[in-house]
Amino acid sequence: MFLEDLPMWGYIGEVEGEDLLLGHLETARRYLYPHLHFSIGYNVDQIVSVNVSTNPQRKVDITDDLMETDVSFSYVAGITRLYLPSYQPTKQPNNNNNNNRYSVEWVPKPELTWENRMSRYHDSRFLPGTFEIHWLSIINSFVLVLLLTAFLTIILMRVLKNDFTRYMDVEEDEMGEEESGWKLIHGDVFRFPNQTNLFAALVGAGGQLCCTTFLLLLCAITGFFRPTKRGAILTAMIVLYALTSFIGGFTSARLYRQFGGLAWVWNTVMTAIIFPGPLGCIFMWVNTVAWSRSSTAALPWHTVMIIASLYMLVSFPLTIIGAIAGRNLATDFDAPCRTKKVLRQVPTDIPWYRQPMAQMFMAGFLPFSAIYIELHYIFASVWGHKIYTLFGILFIAFIMLFIVTSFITVALIYFQLAREDHRWWWRSFFSGGSTGFFIYAYSFFYFFQRSSMDGWLQSSFYFGYMAIISYAFFLMLGFVGFISSMVFVKHIYSVVKCD
C-alpha cells in the first residue's frame, strides 16, 4: 500500500497451530485482522512517514470458510467494514463499534524532512534480506568475478604470447608451410557475415539499450529522480530510450556502411523496430488481457497514445538522424588482413564441447552466475511486494556482468579461431547474449517456486514482460560480446605478419 509514494506493509492475519515441517494441519486455525491502524507522520504540510499496524487480540476466525470464501470491503461513514459468510453483523454498524474499522493517527515529525523521508527504508526489515547480507553477497560475487577474469587474462595472455613468438620466429619463405591455428585463416576471418542488415540492426539496438541502462542507473544513483516513486523508473526508462535512439541509429548505420550495405532505408527501419516491435506486440497482448478482465493494471488509452506519440515524434526521428550521421561519418572497415576471394571450408570433426550450443551455454552460464544473487532481489522487487533502493549495488552488478560477458566471449572466440573456424561474427553476438536465455529460464523457476502468482492475467503479465526483459539482455550483452571480440580479433591479427 502506498501513501504519497511512501510504501507501508502490514499483516492481515495469522495461522495458529501450523507445523513448519508438515505444513497445514487439520488443527490449524486461521484468523483475519479486521482493524487497521494507520500512523502518518507529517512535517508542516508534508507527509514524511507512514506505517500500518494491527491488533492481534482482535481477529476473526475464517478457518471454516477458507475454501472459496468471498471477502468484500464496504465503507460506511469512514469506517472500513469486512464481511465474511461466518461473520455477519446483526445490526447496522456505527462509529462506536470497533470490530471492523480503520483508524488514523497523525504524528508530528519535525526532525524528518521531505528530502530524507526515504532514509528509514534502508534499514527496514521488509526490504529484501538485510543490508549486510546483501553487501556480503555482492562482494562475494565481485571477488569471484575478479578471480575469473584474472585467470582468463593470464591464461589467454600466455597462450597468445606463445603464438606470437612461434609465428614471428618463422622465416618468410617458410611462412606458408608453418601456418596453423588462427593465423591460417587470416584470409577469411574478416569476411563479412551473412544477413549484414539484421546483424547491424541488432548491434545498434544493443548499443542503445546499453546506453539507456547506464544512464538510468546513473540517474537513480545521483538522485535525478526518485526511484521509489511508483512509475518513476518506468517513465525514466521510456524517456531515456527515446532520447538514446540516435545512438542506435548511428551504431547500426555505421556498421552497415562498413559492411558495404546499400539498403539504407530498410536498415534504418529495422533498427527502429527491432526492439520496440516485439515490445509493442507483448504490450498489446497483455493490455488486452487486462482490459478483458477489467483489471486496473491496464493502461488507459490516453497513456498508450502518449507513449506511441513519444515513439513516433521523438524516437523514430532520432533513429533516422543517427542513421544519416552514421552513414556519412563512417569509414571503410579497417581490417589488418586482406580477405581472400575463395571461401575456406570450416573443419567439421570437432568434439561436442566445442559445438556452438555448448559454447553458448558456457558463455551464458558464467555471467548469469555472477548476477544470480542480485537477480533474486530484483525479481522480488519487480514482482513481489518489496522496495529496491540499493542502486549502487545494482550498478556494480551490471559492471560485473559486462566484464564477465566480455572476457568469456573473447576466450571462446579465441578457441574457435584456434580450431580454424572463421565464423566469429554471429557467434560472438549469440555467445554474449546467451545470458538472456538463462534469465528467462530463471523466471520460470521464480514463478513456480518463489512466487504465489497464478491465473491467466498474472501469467500473461509475468511471462510476457519477462520475455521482453530477457530479449533486452540478449541485445545488450550481445553488443558487449561482439564489440569485445572485434577489438580482440583486430588486435591479434594486427600483431603478426599476414600476406
Side-chain angles (χ1 to χ4, degrees), residues 98-379:
N98 292 325
N99 284 330
N100 299 303
R101 70 165 62 185
Y102 66 88
S103 56
V104 180
E105 177 187 9
W106 294 88
V107 181
K109 296 281 186 178
E111 73 282 356
L112 185 59
T113 61
W114 172 268
E115 292 77 12
N116 299 324
R117 63 178 189 153
M118 300 299 301
S119 59
R120 74 184 189 95
Y121 292 100
H122 291 285
D123 299 324
S124 175
R125 62 189 179 93
F126 291 100
L127 288 176
T130 61
F131 186 78
E132 292 80 7
I133 295 178
H134 200 166
W135 266 112
L136 288 176
S137 64
I138 202 67
I139 290 175
N140 180 47
S141 299
F142 188 68
V143 171
L144 291 178
V145 167
L146 287 180
L147 292 177
L148 174 64
T149 52
F151 288 151
L152 283 176
T153 303
I154 293 173
I155 294 174
L156 201 58
M157 291 299 293
R158 290 180 64 88
V159 173
L160 284 175
K161 183 179 180 181
N162 294 334
D163 290 345
F164 291 152
T165 302
R166 178 162 54 91
Y167 291 147
M168 291 179 178
D169 289 343
V170 177
E171 298 293 337
E172 293 185 1
D173 56 350
E174 301 176 358
M175 186 71 70
E177 300 178 0
E178 297 294 335
E179 285 184 356
S180 62
W182 55 268
K183 189 176 185 296
L184 185 62
I185 59 173
H186 64 84
D188 297 275
V189 70
F190 293 106
R191 190 182 303 276
F192 296 146
N194 299 325
Q195 301 294 331
T196 56
N197 198 344
L198 176 62
F199 185 81
L202 289 173
V203 172
Q208 179 183 352
L209 288 172
C210 282
C211 294
T212 302
T213 305
F214 177 79
L215 292 175
L216 181 67
L217 293 177
L218 193 63
C219 291
I221 293 174
T222 57
F224 188 77
F225 64 90
R226 285 185 295 160
T228 53
K229 183 179 179 180
R230 285 180 296 175
I233 294 181
L234 185 59
T235 303
M237 187 183 304
I238 295 174
V239 174
L240 288 175
Y241 181 83
L243 295 178
T244 55
S245 298
F246 177 87
I247 298 176
F250 181 88
T251 305
S252 175
R254 181 177 182 273
L255 185 61
Y256 188 62
R257 163 68 176 78
Q258 292 179 339
F259 285 157
L262 300 176
W264 301 107
V265 177
W266 180 233
N267 173 255
T268 305
V269 173
M270 185 177 294
T271 305
I273 66 174
I274 200 164
F275 180 73
L279 174 60
C281 294
I282 294 294
F283 169 76
M284 287 188 294
W285 162 253
V286 171
N287 218 43
T288 301
V289 172
W291 273 339
S292 64
R293 301 299 179 92
S294 300
S295 173
T296 57
L299 288 181
W301 66 271
H302 57 82
T303 303
V304 177
M305 292 303 298
I306 292 175
I307 297 176
S309 301
L310 185 65
Y311 172 76
M312 295 301 298
L313 300 178
V314 178
S315 179
F316 192 76
L318 285 178
T319 304
I320 297 176
I321 296 174
I324 295 174
R327 181 184 63 182
N328 294 331
L329 298 179
T331 58
D332 294 335
F333 187 78
D334 186 18
C337 307
R338 291 180 298 177
T339 301
K340 297 181 180 179
K341 295 182 179 180
V342 180
L343 178 64
R344 181 183 181 85
Q345 292 187 354
V346 178
T348 56
D349 53 340
I350 55 177
W352 64 269
Y353 56 87
R354 288 191 171 184
Q355 295 289 340
M357 295 304 297
Q359 284 198 356
M360 288 179 58
F361 179 85
M362 289 185 290
F365 177 75
L366 289 178
F368 175 78
S369 62
I371 64 169
Y372 167 76
I373 298 176
E374 196 64 24
L375 198 64
H376 170 75
Y377 293 121
I378 296 175
F379 270 66

Side-chain angles (χ1 to χ4, degrees), residues 3-19:
L3 179 63
E4 288 291 326
D5 296 321
L6 292 173
M8 50 183 162
W9 303 266
Y11 295 101
I12 62 172
E14 65 176 351
V15 179
E16 292 184 355
E18 181 185 18
D19 192 282

Side-chain angles (χ1 to χ4, degrees), residues 18-24:
E18 181 185 18
D19 192 282
L20 295 178
L21 297 178
L22 301 180
H24 295 286

Side-chain angles (χ1 to χ4, degrees), residues 64-91:
D64 298 333
D65 302 286
L66 181 63
M67 301 302 295
E68 298 183 0
T69 301
D70 293 330
V71 179
S72 61
F73 290 89
S74 64
Y75 302 90
V76 180
I79 301 175
T80 303
R81 287 287 174 176
L82 172 65
Y83 293 103
L84 300 171
S86 61
Y87 189 78
Q88 293 291 348
T90 57
K91 61 181 181 179

